[in-house]
Amino acid sequence: MGEAVLANKLGKLYQNGVWGCREVSFLTLTGETVVLLGPNGSGKSTTIHMLTTLIKPTKGEGKVLGYDIVKDYEKVRKNIALMPQEGRPDPNWTPYEAVKWYLVARGLSLSSASAEAKMWLEELDLWEVRNRTGWEISGGQRRRTLVAMVLASDAPVIFLDEPTDGMDVEGKYKVWDALRKATKRGRSIVYTTHNMREAEQVASKVVIISEGKSVVSGPPHELVRGLPFRYRVRASRKPANAEFSVRVGETVIAYFESFSEALSALEEGSASVEEVSLEDVYLYYVKGRGSVSISP
Amino acid sequence: MFRFLLSSIGIARLLSAYLLRQPGWLVQDFMFAFALLVILYSWGGREGISYAITGYIAASAFSFGINGVGTIIGWNRVMRTLELYIASPITPRAFLIGAILGEIPYFIVIAILYLIVGGVLGQLSIVLYALLVALLISPLSILLGLAAAFYVKKPANLSAITNPLTFIGTMLPPVFYPVAVLPDFLRLPALLIPTAAAAELARTLAGLSRSFDPLPLFLIIFAWTLLAVLFANRVVKWSLD
């Protein structure tokens, strides 16, 4: 598999003196979906903005299909499509004309644009409403229209910044299925979300970003396996025998290597002992002690 | 070239979707242009119509860039769809041409109306001179609209800037009335306003006014266009910051 997207210690210092991100590194191979996970303001969108040539990095380097994101930005743009965070399609567009004319604007012929529009609108369950304007369809359908616009493009590398934000469960599943179809066709995807379940569903690789730095990356199951504990319990305060714990609001999540220890920490009213998941990887690296610099 | 044209058409189609869904905007402009003919005819007969034609075509050309092209780009900044276009093979030139094509129906509606009226009343040459001047002033208005769309920090407020600018630039200076009615000391300063220079140039070319030579009027528009090029060049960024 070839190298689709490379971020090597990318950092961005804004004019107001705030670092949008400090040092983000990851590699996306052809056909992979890399999910950037991190809290609000951690630098996910800034990273996407740098890689899509919207902003210039202050430090580090970025490449898309081997093209430098600053020096070769025009070549980068020829090979990418971006669904911006909080992007809203014009409510006067119908899904069909939005996808079709966006593809024409990107340089596809009318016939290819029409065919691709049909295929991706069907894939995203929008064909039935293809001729309704944005005023007449739901918010989730409008978001899916934007997803259809970028997935239908001929771009080999696609960036989606929180694409399923505000979508219902069914809509999210449609998007995830469409992403799988896109990667099967050789597309490479860089994706941001706050939703752990979503990351588990779509990611070939997850990159966790905390305070502007990528702190860990790898396939979701490997990251989960790499945690130094297997079980978790929710409690009101840290159990004495917990190997590690994090406080999330009023709740303490305590971690244990063995099931029996976890069981002994159960408080009255606690739901159950749970196996660790990607959410715990996130909590471990973002709120906990896990903090290591990584290279791509 | 064909690919460039196709790209511009795609952009034009996307940006003008609101006109297809709400053609009332075009009807409003048509009715205003028509009403102006009636009003000025009732005050000044055929000469009044000549002033309506030259004034309104110059004013529309000015509004076309600032209010039309500028606002549509600002709207795309608000909706964040501009990012969708930047992070793509769509070139800034194709986008701009598309934005202009998308807004041009407004101008076509007025041009057709005035060409018909001019033809019927034997004032076709006035309309043609006015359209020629509209072509001269359009680059200035487009550049100003473009610059405003990128310069304004909060694009949602763009219309609050471009609307008054257009209104003040077209209603107060001698656009719909001859510069000759102003006191001597005000005439030259008034004609330094590009819309007034454009309207006066159209009237001069059409033989309605003899106050000024066409060359200085042309130079005023040219100088403004040059300034707008410098300003736009400084503030318009097809991103990378």
Side-chain angles (χ1 to χ4, degrees):
Chain A
M1 284 199 288
E3 182 183 299
V5 180
L6 170 77
N8 188 15
K9 298 184 176 174
L10 274 180
K12 175 67 184 177
L13 178 66
Y14 287 113
Q15 279 182 340
N16 59 6
V18 174
W19 281 93
C21 79
R22 290 170 184 277
E23 197 172 298
V24 171
S25 301
F26 67 88
L27 174 67
T28 310
L29 299 174
T30 307
E32 270 190 342
T33 299
V34 166
V35 173
L36 308 184
L37 270 178
N40 290 326
S42 60
K44 302 183 300 293
S45 293
T46 302
T47 304
I48 295 263
H49 287 171
M50 286 189 284
L51 290 168
T52 55
T53 76
L54 295 180
I55 57 174
K56 228 186 246 180
T58 311
K59 61 174 215 162
E61 66 164 351
K63 286 185 176 175
V64 173
L65 298 177
Y67 297 119
D68 187 276
I69 54 173
V70 179
K71 282 186 228 147
D72 307 317
Y73 72 91
E74 283 175 331
K75 286 176 183 158
V76 169
R77 286 176 182 172
K78 283 184 179 159
N79 288 289
I80 60 171
L82 163 71
M83 177 179 171
Q85 188 188 14
E86 294 169 12
R88 284 168 287 160
D90 186 333
N92 293 297
W93 294 344
T94 66
Y96 183 68
E97 67 188 9
V99 178
K100 179 181 162 184
W101 292 107
Y102 174 65
L103 297 185
V104 170
R106 290 183 61 104
L108 261 72
S109 69
L110 277 171
S111 55
S112 302
S114 302
E116 288 291 319
K118 181 173 189 298
M119 184 175 85
W120 287 96
L121 289 174
E122 281 175 346
E123 183 66 34
L124 285 153
D125 204 19
L126 291 166
W127 188 245
E128 290 287 305
V129 297
R130 66 188 178 279
N131 292 324
R132 291 191 202 160
T133 64
W135 307 107
E136 300 161 306
I137 59 179
S138 70
Q141 287 170 323
R142 282 199 294 273
R143 292 287 293 166
R144 292 217 299 281
T145 300
L146 272 183
V147 175
M149 287 169 80
V150 296
L151 290 185
S153 75
D154 54 349
V157 181
I158 292 166
F159 294 85
L160 299 123
D161 200 353
E162 298 184 21
T164 56
D165 202 25
M167 265 185 215
D168 60 22
V169 178
E170 211 176 331
K172 283 180 186 175
Y173 273 89
K174 290 284 174 197
V175 171
W176 299 341
D177 288 344
L179 291 178
R180 282 186 207 103
K181 183 171 179 174
T183 50
K184 269 184 197 158
R185 297 174 113 207
R187 307 284 178 78
S188 310
I189 294 173
V190 178
Y191 192 102
T192 73
T193 181
H194 291 285
N195 188 323
M196 306 297 149
R197 170 112 181 92
E198 183 168 16
E200 282 172 330
Q201 284 285 323
V202 300
S204 324
K205 193 193 287 173
V206 165
V207 180
I208 294 181
I209 300 177
S210 177
E211 294 175 357
K213 291 184 176 179
S214 45
V215 291
V216 69
S217 76
H221 60 278
E222 279 185 20
L223 291 179
V224 174
R225 229 178 18 227
L227 283 174
F229 25 74
R230 298 268 72 80
Y231 303 98
R232 62 182 241 167
V233 166
R234 289 174 210 226
S236 57
R237 55 195 161 91
K238 186 186 173 188
N241 60 341
E243 290 171 35
F244 172 71
S245 68
V246 288
R247 177 170 283 282
V248 186
E250 294 293 302
T251 308
V252 170
I253 303 176
Y255 293 93
F256 304 90
E257 174 61 35
S258 77
F259 183 77
S260 57
E261 279 186 41
L263 204 58
S264 69
L266 272 181
E267 294 174 345
E268 199 176 329
S270 292
S272 61
V273 175
E274 297 163 329
E275 278 196 53
V276 289
S277 67
L278 191 60
E279 181 179 298
D280 305 295
V281 176
Y282 175 89
L283 291 172
Y284 180 67
Y285 284 101
V286 172
K287 294 188 72 94
R289 62 187 163 195
S291 179
V292 285
S293 256
I294 59 162
S295 57
Chain B
M1 185 61 194
F2 177 71
R3 205 180 160 97
F4 174 85
L5 202 65
L6 204 61
S7 181
S8 299
I9 290 169
I11 290 294
R13 185 61 181 72
L14 288 169
L15 299 190
S16 64
Y18 78 100
L19 278 179
L20 287 176
R21 302 278 126 69
Q22 298 146 31
W25 291 110
L26 290 178
V27 175
Q28 174 188 275
D29 263 38
F30 177 86
M31 289 312 293
F32 187 83
F34 186 70
L36 198 71
L37 288 176
V38 175
I39 293 166
L40 290 198
Y41 180 75
S42 71
W43 286 101
R46 285 165 64 94
E47 197 183 358
I49 286 201
S50 305
Y51 278 95
I53 290 170
T54 49
Y56 197 62
I57 288 179
S60 298
F62 190 66
S63 165
F64 167 71
I66 295 185
N67 253 349
V69 177
T71 305
I72 199 77
I73 295 173
W75 174 247
N76 276 271
R77 274 187 68 200
V78 174
M79 305 290 277
R80 308 284 298 267
T81 34
L82 196 63
E83 294 170 21
L84 191 83
Y85 301 131
I86 294 172
S88 81
I90 300 163
T91 63
R93 256 178 257 160
F95 181 81
L96 180 61
I97 298 294
I100 292 169
L101 290 176
E103 288 296 301
I104 223 157
Y106 282 109
F107 204 76
I108 289 175
V109 162
I110 293 159
I112 289 173
L113 170 69
Y114 284 2
L115 280 168
I116 292 169
V117 172
V120 170
L121 298 179
Q123 296 181 329
L124 201 56
S125 62
I126 293 174
V127 182
L128 293 174
Y129 280 125
L131 289 174
L132 185 71
V133 171
L135 281 178
L136 275 178
I137 200 175
S138 290
L140 166 64
S141 75
I142 290 164
L143 286 164
L144 287 178
L146 192 63
F150 282 91
Y151 182 71
V152 172
K153 283 210 168 69
K154 294 176 184 164
N157 300 337
L158 186 64
S159 292
I161 296 163
T162 55
N163 275 352
L165 201 70
T166 309
F167 190 76
I168 294 166
T170 54
M171 297 311 283
L172 193 60
V175 174
F176 290 99
Y177 60 90
V179 72
V181 304
L182 292 174
D184 272 351
F185 73 96
L186 268 181
R187 288 181 192 172
L188 186 61
L191 285 176
L192 291 177
I193 299 165
T195 42
E200 192 64 18
L201 180 59
R203 288 191 287 264
T204 305
L205 292 173
L208 293 169
S209 168
R210 298 204 193 311
S211 307
F212 283 84
D213 282 339
L215 186 62
L217 298 168
F218 171 79
L219 288 176
I220 290 169
I221 298 170
F222 183 74
W224 273 101
T225 308
L226 210 60
L227 285 175
V229 167
L230 294 175
F231 182 46
N233 200 35
R234 206 177 145 83
V235 300
V236 175
K237 281 198 170 154
W238 197 241
S239 252
L240 273 191
D241 271 346

